[in-house]
């Protein structure tokens, strides 16, 4: 697959928002805060996952590893429900900055879910 795995992700998300910028550097090793910002921008544009997170979870400055993992678990589970397939990604690896190809595959699945027109409200509840 080479190093181009990030390009499809960038092309997808630039269709729905301008910020955060979808750059090669960030997508090749996406930090948690960047992933949080991508979700937040996606949600505000498409309504995807609205109501899934509350309070401190909506703050992109989450610092505790456990809180980051819990955030990602909820987001991955929602995405799997909407796309109807299991996503081969581990929240612990994402937080550790490992397996960026799988992280990008997850982001692409989240994009498909967010732009599918499926109302996520029943899944969120």
């Amino acid at each position: 697959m080479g190093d181009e795995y990030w390009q499809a992700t960038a092309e997808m998300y630039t269709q729905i928002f301008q910020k955060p910028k979808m750059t090669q550097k960030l997508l090749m090793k996406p930090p948690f805060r960047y992933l949080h910002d991508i979700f937040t921008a996606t949600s505000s544009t498409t309504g995807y996952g609205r109501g899934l997170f509350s309070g401190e979870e909506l703050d992109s400055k989450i610092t505790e590893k456990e809180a980051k993992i819990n955030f990602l678990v909820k987001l991955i589970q929602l995405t799997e429900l909407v796309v109807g397939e299991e996503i081969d990604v581990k929240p612990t690896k994402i937080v550790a900055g490992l397996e960026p190809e799988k992280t990008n595959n997850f982001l692409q699945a989240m994009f498909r879910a967010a732009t599918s027109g499926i109302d996520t409200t029943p899944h969120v509840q």
Side-chain angles (χ1 to χ4, degrees):
M1 191 145 132
D3 287 343
E4 293 82 43
Y5 60 85
W6 65 273
Q7 289 174 323
T9 309
E11 288 167 12
M12 289 174 166
Y13 283 97
T14 53
Q15 297 172 42
I16 59 172
F17 58 72
Q18 300 303 311
K19 284 186 177 183
K21 293 273 186 237
M22 303 306 284
T23 65
Q24 178 178 359
K25 181 181 179 209
L26 287 168
L27 286 169
M28 286 188 75
K29 193 172 181 183
F32 174 79
R33 179 161 181 181
Y34 184 59
L35 297 172
H36 192 287
D37 290 347
I38 290 171
F39 166 74
T40 305
T42 302
S43 181
S44 68
T45 305
T46 66
Y48 181 72
R50 197 165 284 145
L52 183 63
F53 301 106
S54 60
E56 293 177 4
E57 292 175 316
L58 293 170
D59 183 356
S60 64
K61 294 180 182 79
I62 296 171
T63 54
E64 293 176 32
K65 185 177 180 182
E66 198 61 38
K68 292 177 182 181
I69 291 169
N70 291 338
F71 179 92
L72 291 168
V73 165
K74 286 168 86 171
L75 190 53
I76 291 165
Q77 287 174 341
L78 174 65
T79 302
E80 288 177 335
L81 282 170
V82 175
V83 296
E85 63 189 57
E86 192 173 321
I87 302 165
D88 181 23
V89 67
K90 292 180 177 57
T92 51
K93 300 261 187 187
I94 293 174
V95 171
L98 303 172
E99 300 181 345
E101 296 93 343
K102 290 183 178 184
T103 303
N104 274 264
N105 287 339
F106 159 65
L107 286 171
Q108 292 167 22
M110 186 174 82
F111 176 85
R112 289 194 312 274
T115 58
S116 67
I118 295 172
D119 180 10
T120 56
T121 308
H123 299 299
V124 167
Q125 294 169 349

